[in-house]
Amino acid sequence: MTESFILGLTTGSACLATCGMTLVPYFVSGNTSSKRVSAGLSLFLLSRLLVYIILGAVAWYLGQALFGESTFRPYILGTFYIIFSVLLIVYAIDKGKKRGCPLSITSGIEKKFLIPVSLGIISSLSFCPAMLIAVTNSASQNNITASILVFVMFFTGTSVWFMPLPLLSMIKNRQIIKTIAMFATAIAGAIYLFRGVTTIIKSIL
Amino acid sequence: MDNILNNYKATRNIWRSILYSLPMLLITLVLMSGGDLNFKGHAELYAFTITFIFLNTCFFLMHYKGKTDLYRSVVFIVFAIFLSFSFITNMFEYRGAMTFNQADIIECNVPFCHLVIPMMIVPAALTESIIFPGSILNGFANISTMLVLWGVATIVMGRGFCSWGCFYGGWDDGFSRLIKKPVIKRIDTIWRWMPFAVLFVVVISASLTLVPTYCDWICPFKAVTEFEAVTSAESAIKAVIFFSLFAMLVIILPLLTKKRTQCTSLCPLGALNSLSNKISAFTVKIDTKRCTMCMKCVKTCKLSALTPDDVKAGRASLLCSKCGQCIDTCRQGAIQFSIRGFEAGKLIDLSRNLFIFISFLFMAIFASGSIQNGLSKILTLIIN
Amino acid sequence: MMRYIKYTLGTIWAAIALILILILFPGLRTISEGLSKAPFMKIHPMYTGGEIIDSVKKSNRTIYIHRPVFNGLIKERMLGFVQIDWHGNIPNVINDTIDYNKDTIPDFIINIDTRNNITDLKKISAYVYDCGVSTQTSFGWVIRVNVVNIK
């Protein structure tokens, strides 16, 4: 669980760096009273949490279906960790690619309270490499409660980054923060790559 | 020697430099000897004398020649080498090996170093304890003493600790000076923000696991101090990581780039120390009236702390370790040490003299123990 | 006016910096001793093994049983360890039954071949997990047995 929290904390910065620039205008546009911002943020986080709980349950069933008690379990897990962590590292350091935030599709929604809810749902279903690692972690748990808890801890870790979101517009040097966030994501990827490799090696030995 | 700061032509008066060096001479004599000039043997006497003369000569030349970085780096590099030499020989004398084992951890016999500090802050605040198997007050490199030394130095010098105090920095500083021109000329300045990401990750991971994760897994300087005995696959992997990182970031890349790549791109303590640059009493300022925007300072800065934007803004960035390299390089004398609150071009002599006195004094006393200890061992072998 | 305030404050700060460095080394021992009294200046039980809660005297050695360590960052962890020390003359074979939670019911039996560094743990209590560390020390022998938190 601690590990999932750390994963969320280190990679949530990348999510914020990518999608934060879409969320910030929403939070700072129009009526920026603290009540409105808090309400919007709460709806956003709540919808993310609900989606993650469902994902946790789905991941557990997937895990049972894919490897259950199979002797190949560590090999499959290790391989998934390696693939997703490499993707995470590439995702973090690929400077040339302009990362489009999927949240931009919410621009068509008219009902005001649905906007933070849809922002929350879409951001939690973005299936970025960090999320895929969380899915792998979740799928490898022994029971459904633990699987859901993995996602709850991942959510908690990422949410730390979204809490000060409304204040982001006040921060200068956002580019530096974005750079540091990307490096942190790459480091998290390296840690999971190491973990994937050692999982496979331990099973061989 | 027109490339030396114009201001210092006036101070290149030998008597003035001798006068300026006298306080350093007296203070180092008292502090190095501890007020007791009775030495146990000839080796100790010679070691003390050589160290004393070496340090004070460097200080005198720093003032007389007006070159800060050159003489600073000589002491800095010698400090790093002798620290490792003393440390390793002490470990062999005490434990018979450069490695520590489970018993050393259980008995809290592991010497403390300042790189642990960023990782202990959050756990210290929340658990009211130190997550390191060392001694609080006793023995070699105890926690309390190191905290005081680092704390005061950082408050006073800011990130200057990285160029005047850190006993590891001399390694990559030394290797970065071995060849005349860099083989790899262009390095993306984005890498200078990596230590902040490392700081973030190690602080979180250490807080949650209660293990100083940077020291446990990725500190390159384990290769020149001590590391966990290789008794398992995990400890073998750690040893490979330490030696690989040392080879890559401390030897090869500094050699090829002429930059302090470990300090620039990995060290989490450097990132933490950078934040203290905001409060330190001294800064590095650029007199934009004198500056011709040649950008030589940007090219020579070993920590990539200067960018063209910083030069235009008239001050070094938060990452500046006040080594003096840019100051020595600038042909126009546009870059200066400055007392906080003063504009560039004001009180140049006083600011520089005060800063180098404070910083060199710290470095000299901090380094003198290791240098004397190392020299004493070498001389004992030669004499006996 | 603001400029002169800045000059004054900057000069004062620089003077303080000079004084700090001048008193740092002569006063290092005193300052370190003062700092060592701060509440956070103690080593975490994960490294010290926790406080000793019981001792058992045998013929030529003493067994010290430490309080089980479950300390986490904010709350206790589910898995921790209990440290057992042997002080004195360490025999070639240690064979002792340990009750680490003082409930008069033995929790595990430890058998250590100290010459060949082979340790065998026989669990009695369901809360005993495995033997994490078993090593010779300067004062004798230490083991750390991983245990599950009852709470």
Side-chain angles (χ1 to χ4, degrees):
Chain A
M1 305 305 147
T2 306
E3 190 191 303
S4 306
F5 179 73
I6 296 174
L7 178 67
L9 206 51
T10 47
T11 57
S13 53
C15 297
L16 185 67
T18 312
C19 288
M21 301 309 123
T22 309
L23 288 165
V24 166
Y26 165 72
F27 281 115
V28 302
S29 65
N31 176 10
T32 53
S33 68
S34 55
K35 210 175 174 183
R36 185 245 177 188
V37 167
S38 308
L41 191 59
S42 304
L43 278 171
F44 170 76
L45 290 172
L46 203 63
S47 46
R48 282 184 80 238
L49 177 62
L50 283 168
V51 172
Y52 277 156
I53 288 171
I54 296 167
L55 272 175
V58 168
W60 186 75
Y61 282 113
L62 265 175
Q64 293 301 301
L66 272 176
F67 36 78
E69 294 301 317
S70 159
T71 45
F72 294 108
R73 181 191 165 97
Y75 297 102
I76 300 170
L77 268 176
T79 310
F80 277 138
Y81 277 133
I82 292 170
I83 294 169
F84 297 145
S85 54
V86 168
L87 278 174
L88 188 62
I89 294 169
V90 169
Y91 175 80
I93 66 176
D94 190 358
K95 291 184 295 177
K97 189 179 169 187
K98 213 177 177 185
R99 269 177 232 95
C101 178
L103 301 184
S104 47
I105 67 172
T106 58
S107 55
I109 296 170
E110 284 178 13
K111 281 222 162 127
K112 280 190 181 163
F113 89 91
L114 277 180
I115 295 173
V117 171
S118 48
L119 286 173
I121 293 169
I122 294 161
S123 71
S124 48
L125 288 174
S126 60
F127 285 106
C128 60
M131 153 84 95
L132 292 171
I133 292 177
V135 169
T136 311
N137 265 347
S138 180
S140 64
Q141 298 304 311
N142 294 326
N143 56 65
I144 194 169
T145 316
S147 285
I148 292 170
L149 259 174
V150 161
F151 261 98
V152 170
M153 293 311 291
F154 179 70
F155 159 79
T156 312
T158 55
S159 297
V160 170
W161 289 94
F162 288 99
M163 298 304 259
L165 200 64
L167 303 170
L168 252 191
S169 56
M170 288 191 242
I171 298 172
K172 301 177 201 173
N173 296 322
R174 272 182 265 170
Q175 186 54 40
I176 293 172
I177 294 173
K178 203 169 169 175
T179 306
I180 294 169
M182 286 307 167
F183 274 125
T185 304
I187 293 169
I191 293 168
Y192 273 96
L193 179 63
F194 178 77
R195 189 190 167 158
V197 168
T198 50
T199 304
I200 292 177
I201 291 174
K202 274 183 195 169
S203 328
I204 294 169
L205 296 174
Chain B
M1 297 279 274
D2 284 336
N3 58 338
I4 292 173
L5 296 166
N6 292 331
N7 301 328
Y8 295 119
K9 276 188 182 164
T11 65
R12 286 181 53 204
N13 174 320
I14 194 162
W15 298 111
R16 195 164 160 173
S17 295
I18 290 171
L19 198 67
Y20 178 69
S21 304
L22 278 178
M24 182 65 68
L25 214 78
L26 287 165
I27 296 172
T28 49
L29 181 67
V30 170
L31 292 180
M32 279 173 61
S33 62
D36 176 17
L37 287 168
N38 292 322
F39 298 100
K40 285 178 197 157
H42 287 117
E44 269 200 29
L45 171 64
Y46 296 150
F48 174 86
T49 311
I50 294 168
T51 308
F52 179 75
I53 293 171
F54 164 68
L55 292 171
N56 283 285
T57 305
C58 286
F59 183 70
F60 167 77
L61 289 170
M62 191 183 280
H63 188 264
Y64 179 60
K65 298 277 190 180
K67 289 241 181 221
T68 310
D69 180 61
L70 175 62
Y71 299 104
R72 174 206 66 81
S73 63
V74 169
V75 178
F76 198 52
I77 293 163
V78 166
F79 182 18
I81 296 169
F82 273 97
L83 186 281
S84 293
F85 176 74
S86 301
F87 192 99
I88 293 170
T89 49
N90 277 347
M91 290 299 109
F92 272 99
E93 279 169 21
Y94 183 66
R95 291 190 201 135
M98 204 173 139
T99 54
F100 61 83
N101 52 31
Q102 286 292 336
D104 294 309
I105 296 171
I106 285 168
E107 293 184 75
C108 294
N109 266 337
V110 181
F112 184 80
C113 96
H114 48 280
L115 294 183
V116 183
I117 293 170
M119 290 167 280
M120 19 175 286
I121 296 171
V122 171
L126 293 175
T127 68
E128 287 197 338
S129 59
I130 306 287
I131 54 162
F132 188 83
S135 167
I136 294 290
L137 201 53
N138 300 317
F140 172 63
N142 64 70
I143 296 169
S144 196
T145 305
M146 283 305 302
L147 277 176
V148 171
L149 286 168
W150 170 81
V152 173
T154 305
I155 289 169
V156 166
M157 298 189 279
R159 202 186 174 181
F161 179 82
C162 296
S163 285
W164 297 84
C166 178
F167 42 70
Y168 297 130
W171 284 103
D172 59 354
D173 200 347
F175 282 108
S176 73
R177 290 168 195 267
L178 286 182
I179 61 175
K180 227 176 170 181
K181 286 192 177 166
V183 172
I184 301 171
K185 288 178 186 155
R186 283 184 193 275
I187 304 140
D188 198 329
T189 53
I190 205 173
W191 288 102
R192 62 194 191 139
W193 301 113
M194 171 93 159
F196 290 88
V198 174
L199 176 67
F200 176 63
V201 173
V202 299
V203 164
I204 295 169
S205 55
S207 301
L208 293 169
T209 61
L210 299 177
V211 172
T213 40
Y214 180 83
C215 308
D216 206 26
W217 282 97
I218 57 170
C219 179
F221 296 110
K222 293 277 193 180
V224 289
T225 49
E226 60 169 3
F227 49 93
E228 197 181 330
V230 178
T231 52
S232 64
E234 186 179 292
S235 51
I237 291 168
K238 287 178 185 178
V240 167
I241 292 172
F242 300 146
F243 283 94
S244 307
L245 283 174
F246 186 81
M248 184 53 65
L249 291 178
V250 181
I251 301 175
I252 298 169
L253 281 176
L255 203 64
L256 297 176
T257 60
K258 287 184 72 65
K259 302 275 184 199
R260 288 171 58 179
T261 47
Q262 135 72 19
C263 303
T264 310
S265 65
L266 188 70
C267 184
L269 184 68
L272 185 65
N273 282 349
S274 295
L275 303 176
S276 64
N277 261 351
K278 283 277 184 189
I279 58 162
S280 86
F282 300 94
T283 59
V284 171
K285 290 223 167 86
I286 301 164
D287 190 345
T288 47
K289 291 178 205 142
R290 283 188 184 189
C291 178
T292 57
M293 305 290 277
C294 67
M295 301 298 166
K296 272 190 182 246
C297 54
V298 172
K299 283 179 204 150
T300 54
C301 180
K302 289 200 183 294
L303 290 179
S304 303
L306 271 176
T307 60
D309 289 333
D310 294 322
V311 176
K312 283 175 203 156
R315 43 104 187 102
S317 75
L318 202 65
L319 307 171
C320 175
S321 68
K322 305 182 182 89
C323 64
Q325 172 93 38
C326 55
I327 296 172
D328 292 354
T329 304
C330 182
R331 288 171 187 266
Q332 312 308 318
I335 312 180
Q336 306 123 13
F337 288 116
S338 177
I339 295 173
R340 186 172 290 281
F342 287 84
E343 298 96 8
K346 290 238 185 298
L347 297 180
I348 301 170
D349 273 358
L350 175 66
S351 303
R352 178 179 185 265
N353 289 343
L354 193 55
F355 176 74
I356 66 171
F357 181 83
I358 287 170
S359 308
F360 195 94
L361 180 61
F362 179 82
M363 182 167 67
I365 305 304
F366 199 23
S368 61
S370 304
I371 300 173
Q372 280 183 86
N373 186 270
L375 273 176
S376 180
K377 287 186 170 127
I378 295 169
L379 290 168
T380 306
L381 286 171
I382 297 170
I383 293 170
N384 295 344
Chain C
M1 179 68 180
M2 198 61 202
R3 208 158 39 119
Y4 291 106
I5 294 171
K6 275 187 184 177
Y7 290 166
T8 312
L9 289 173
T11 312
I12 292 170
W13 189 205
I16 291 171
L18 177 62
I19 294 165
L20 278 174
I21 289 296
L22 287 172
I23 64 171
L24 172 63
F25 288 101
L28 188 59
R29 186 81 200 164
T30 312
I31 301 168
S32 304
E33 280 169 4
L35 179 63
S36 69
K37 293 181 181 122
F40 61 87
M41 289 297 278
K42 52 184 183 289
I43 306 297
H44 195 279
M46 236 176 79
Y47 299 98
T48 61
E51 56 181 310
I52 293 170
I53 56 167
D54 201 10
S55 61
V56 177
K57 273 193 170 40
K58 297 257 170 166
S59 50
N60 54 358
R61 65 186 186 276
T62 309
I63 305 170
Y64 291 104
I65 300 169
H66 293 245
R67 179 180 65 78
V69 175
F70 298 108
N71 304 46
L73 184 67
I74 299 164
K75 58 183 185 100
E76 288 195 343
R77 293 173 168 176
M78 276 182 61
L79 192 67
F81 67 86
V82 60
Q83 180 170 314
I84 315 291
D85 306 342
W86 283 262
H87 287 240
N89 281 325
I90 305 301
N92 291 332
V93 176
I94 291 172
N95 197 330
D96 287 310
T97 304
I98 306 290
D99 166 24
Y100 73 84
N101 49 16
K102 291 168 82 172
D103 60 359
T104 70
I105 303 166
D107 294 301
F108 59 85
I109 301 167
I110 193 82
N111 187 293
I112 309 171
D113 177 353
T114 57
R115 276 178 307 176
N116 300 309
N117 199 1
I118 299 167
T119 304
D120 181 44
L121 174 78
K122 282 194 184 76
K123 306 176 211 181
I124 301 170
S125 163
Y127 295 109
V128 174
Y129 193 71
D130 65 6
C131 185
V133 172
S134 177
T135 183
Q136 187 177 20
T137 59
S138 61
F139 52 77
W141 200 275
V142 165
I143 63 165
R144 283 184 178 178
V145 175
N146 295 321
V147 293
V148 176
N149 196 344
I150 300 166
K151 292 175 200 166

